[in-house]
Structure formats: structure tokens, C-alpha cells
Amino acid sequence: GGLEKAFMEYVDCQSQVESFIKVNEYYHDAAKVSYVREDGLMATYSPDFLVKTKDSIYIVETKAQANMSQGNVKQKQRATVDFVERVNNLKGEDRMEREWKYVLLGENVFASMKKNGAAPIDMFEYCLVTKDFVVGTLF
């Protein structure tokens, strides 16, 4: 869609970004994340992008603002946070010597940060999805 196209154009010309890939769910099996849907059934989903920087690999899921709080979004977030945790427990050479991180980038945040000249890493770090955020350990 339009958000994905805008995102690709944005990261493509950024010096912080070493490389990126638009994940194709039919070809990139390694990027598939299994999760339990709200109805209890197992499903898989593929995030939108993998973005490689000097220190990190960002798994980036772009979302239209209206879809940010859809039911299964939380389930996918939980599963992806667990996936990232498992990857980061691997030896460095098995994860490209980088820390893997999960980013949920809503279109409004993307648009306003891009307009204000934010670098990709700043944008990604601002939109990181952490275990505390997903599980809600604040209370």
C-alpha cells in the first residue's frame, strides 16, 4: 500500500540503513512468526520489512492508524517479541552480529517523524515493541 511504498522510499536513501528487504510471505520463510489468534487457532504472519543497520536488525511492521489496535495485532506482537528474544539468545554469528528489535510503526508517527527529519534509527527506537509493552507488566 501507500504506507509501505513511502517507507521503502524513505529508508532507501538513508545512510544509517545498510540494507532492507520487503518481506514476501511466500519466499521468506525465515521471517514467518507463528502466533495464537484470539480465537485460539494457530496462524503465521510475516512482518513487512527487515532493516539492517550497523548495530541492529529491525523487524518493522507498518500499520495504518485504523489497524493499530485490531484484535490479533496484540497476539502478533506477543509472538514477535518472543521471536526476537529467541533470535537474540543465539550466538552473534547466527544473528549477523546484531541485536534484533521489533518495531510497530503507525502511519501517523511515521508521517510526523519523517516530516520533522527523524533518522530511521530514531524512528525505530521510538516505536520499539518490548515485552513489557506487550504483556503489560506496568501494574
Side-chain angles (χ1 to χ4, degrees), residues 25 31-46 72 75-76 79-80:
E25 61 186 313
K32 277 199 169 104
V33 177
S34 297
Y35 72 102
V36 180
R37 295 190 332 203
E38 281 189 314
D39 61 12
L41 296 176
M42 284 299 295
T44 58
Y45 100 102
S46 298
N72 283 320
Q75 300 299 97
K76 290 175 185 177
T80 308

Side-chain angles (χ1 to χ4, degrees), residues 47-106:
D48 296 321
F49 300 97
L50 296 177
V51 180
K52 183 167 102 174
T53 64
K54 188 168 80 63
D55 301 312
S56 304
I57 304 274
Y58 293 95
I59 297 175
V60 181
E61 179 71 16
T62 55
K63 277 278 178 247
Q65 213 55 42
N67 299 337
M68 286 293 284
S69 55
Q70 271 179 332
N72 283 320
V73 169
K74 274 279 190 237
Q75 300 299 97
K76 290 175 185 177
Q77 288 175 353
R78 273 197 187 95
T80 308
V81 164
D82 288 343
F83 174 83
V84 165
E85 199 171 53
R86 287 194 305 275
V87 169
N88 285 327
N89 284 329
L90 297 172
K91 290 185 298 215
E93 64 264 23
D94 293 333
R95 53 184 167 84
M96 301 173 91
E97 303 292 348
R98 286 164 177 80
E99 184 182 357
W100 287 53
K101 300 177 178 185
Y102 174 43
V103 175
L104 182 64
L105 186 59

Side-chain angles (χ1 to χ4, degrees), residues 108-121:
N108 292 357
V109 170
F110 172 69
S112 72
M113 289 187 84
K114 182 180 164 206
K115 192 176 99 186
N116 290 323
I121 290 174

